[in-house]
Amino acid sequence: MHRLFAELEPSVTVTEQNLADRVRYILRSNTFDVTELERLRREAVPSSGENAAAEDAAPQLAEQTANVDAAVNTPVVVDSNDDGTVAQELELEQMRSTLEEAIVETRSTPLENRPRLPHSALSKRNRAVVRALNPMLVTYLEASRDLCETDSILFGAALAVCRIIGAKLSTAGRATGQSSAIPAWRIRIEERIAKARALIGRLICFRSGNTRPRIVRTVRMAFAGTNVSLSQPDIMQKLTERIDDLKQRIAAWGKRIRRYTERSTRLNQNRLFQSDQKRLYKSLERPIVSGTGPVPNQADTVAFWRSLWSEPVNHNEGPWMEVVASQCAGITPMDPVIITPDDVAEAVRRAPNWKSPGLDGLHHYWLKGFMIIHMVCPRSELHEVSEHKDAKAASILSLLVPLPIRIYLDFNADKIHTTA
């Protein structure tokens, strides 16, 4: 590439590295589309019919083009034209292979060990990669058996996109990559409290008659900058005053930490009360202490529960049941609620792109980009959750479906009939 540039522009002095950096910047910033780049290449190198020298330039152009691609060292260059077709240097088979590897890897990885997906730039190049992988997910999603597997496939697709566009992925899992929730000022205060307690212990040892060199050196450092000397007759009173001063400081620092803890707990409880009252009340309940007595006999346990569940019981509800049934006979049943792919797409559209994800680590951006998932969400998985109300399936649903859809399902769970 540098040799060809020197022949075309002999007046411009540029190094090979500088030239490769400029080409990389032009391709990554999408300054020119594919058509414009081809036109510039044709103008830079004469055609094969002009002269004999140009005949040698055609294979040289192909060679230099390959060198440019190698020098740029980009994983994939993807762009889209007006017809919506995808122009890419990485073949579709390689993209499909990357997608397959990412899905297989995600299926065998626990949720807490999944890599943290970075925020992708909203560029034409990245959107074109998502559109290219979107039809490839049809085969995997049609074979999906439950919501957990559907979520795993979607995360694998997002992971494949990040690898294709060259995004930086964290090697450690999300559980180990989280930063400490303790603020820095609290850590500093706790270190001051630990040092003050250690100093109090040394001062008490000296007051008790321990005159080892290490203890004496610490006491002198404690009274540094003052007019107190260890040979003074009232040194014991000075030691007591110094110990009391340190204890008061420790109490003040501890009170500051307690005020922060109480305020933080109060704010978290207020937020939780607004979002999930059931979870708040459950957290306020005292833990039940299990008994430490002997384990009950297995035969007695089976006999106890068999007497409750195996014996038929005839309930006499009374005449009020007939009154209620007659009153409800004239009520018109509610029309079935049909969740369509448009409903799912509308709910996903209103969600923020990079809002903090749930346990699965999947942002709303990927739910918007992989539009094939809009056809899968209203399918049998939601029907299974609405009819059987399985707690485990509902928890998996909360990881995959955005909040607007979950609220919609909670209010209409008894009347929902979904369609594909």
Side-chain angles (χ1 to χ4, degrees), residues 257-268 270:
I257 293 178
R258 285 194 299 272
R259 286 201 308 268
Y260 166 77
T261 305
E262 293 174 357
R263 178 180 178 275
S264 178
T265 303
R266 184 168 59 252
L267 292 178
N268 292 334
N270 290 340

Side-chain angles (χ1 to χ4, degrees), residues 347-356 362-368 402 404:
V348 174
R349 185 187 62 83
R350 295 193 301 265
N353 283 339
W354 303 112
K355 187 177 180 181
S356 180
L362 203 61
H363 299 88
H364 290 144
Y365 171 80
W366 306 109
L367 295 177
K368 296 179 181 180

Side-chain angles (χ1 to χ4, degrees), residues 338-351 367-368 370-379 382 400-402 404-405 408-409 418-419:
I338 300 175
I339 299 180
T340 62
D342 294 337
D343 297 333
V344 179
E346 179 64 20
V348 174
R349 185 187 62 83
R350 295 193 301 265
L367 295 177
K368 296 179 181 180
F370 296 114
M371 293 181 293
I372 189 63
I373 199 66
H374 303 166
M375 302 294 296
V376 178
C377 282
R379 216 171 52 183
L382 301 188
L400 177 63
V401 183
I405 303 179
Y408 186 75
L409 292 175
T418 60
T419 61

Side-chain angles (χ1 to χ4, degrees), residues 302-313:
V302 172
F304 173 78
W305 290 107
R306 182 172 295 169
S307 63
L308 295 178
W309 296 102
S310 299
E311 299 295 333
V313 178

Side-chain angles (χ1 to χ4, degrees), residues 160-303:
V161 172
C162 294
R163 290 176 177 175
I164 292 174
I165 65 178
K168 186 177 180 181
L169 293 170
S170 60
T171 56
R174 292 179 292 114
T176 58
Q178 294 179 354
S179 60
S180 175
I182 303 177
W185 64 266
R186 179 172 177 175
I187 296 177
R188 291 194 297 267
I189 291 179
E190 291 177 350
E191 292 177 354
R192 294 176 190 172
I193 292 176
K195 292 179 180 179
R197 288 175 176 173
L199 182 57
I200 289 175
R202 299 288 179 86
L203 295 178
I204 292 176
C205 290
F206 183 80
R207 190 176 60 179
S208 302
N210 190 340
T211 57
R212 288 186 298 176
R214 186 177 181 180
I215 300 297
V216 174
R217 184 169 59 251
T218 304
V219 174
R220 287 176 179 174
M221 292 176 60
F223 289 104
T226 62
N227 296 326
V228 178
S229 175
L230 300 183
S231 59
Q232 292 181 359
D234 59 343
I235 186 61
M236 294 301 173
Q237 180 180 357
K238 297 295 184 181
L239 287 173
T240 304
E241 293 176 357
R242 182 61 175 166
I243 291 173
D244 292 341
D245 178 68
L246 291 175
K247 288 183 178 179
Q248 292 177 7
R249 291 187 179 184
I250 291 176
W253 290 333
K255 187 175 181 179
R256 185 183 303 178
I257 293 178
R258 285 194 299 272
R259 286 201 308 268
Y260 166 77
T261 305
E262 293 174 357
R263 178 180 178 275
S264 178
T265 303
R266 184 168 59 252
L267 292 178
N268 292 334
Q269 289 179 352
N270 290 340
R271 295 194 192 100
L272 192 60
F273 180 80
Q274 295 177 357
S275 60
D276 193 349
Q277 298 183 9
K278 180 180 178 180
R279 183 179 175 187
L280 171 64
Y281 295 143
K282 188 175 181 179
S283 64
L284 295 177
E285 294 178 356
R286 295 182 178 180
I288 301 177
V289 180
S290 59
T292 57
V295 180
N297 188 9
Q298 182 178 2
D300 296 340
T301 304
V302 172

Side-chain angles (χ1 to χ4, degrees), residues 4 45-46 48 52-67:
L4 179 61
V45 179
S48 59
E55 295 178 358
D56 299 332
Q60 186 179 5
L61 174 62
E63 180 183 358
Q64 296 300 332
T65 304
N67 295 334

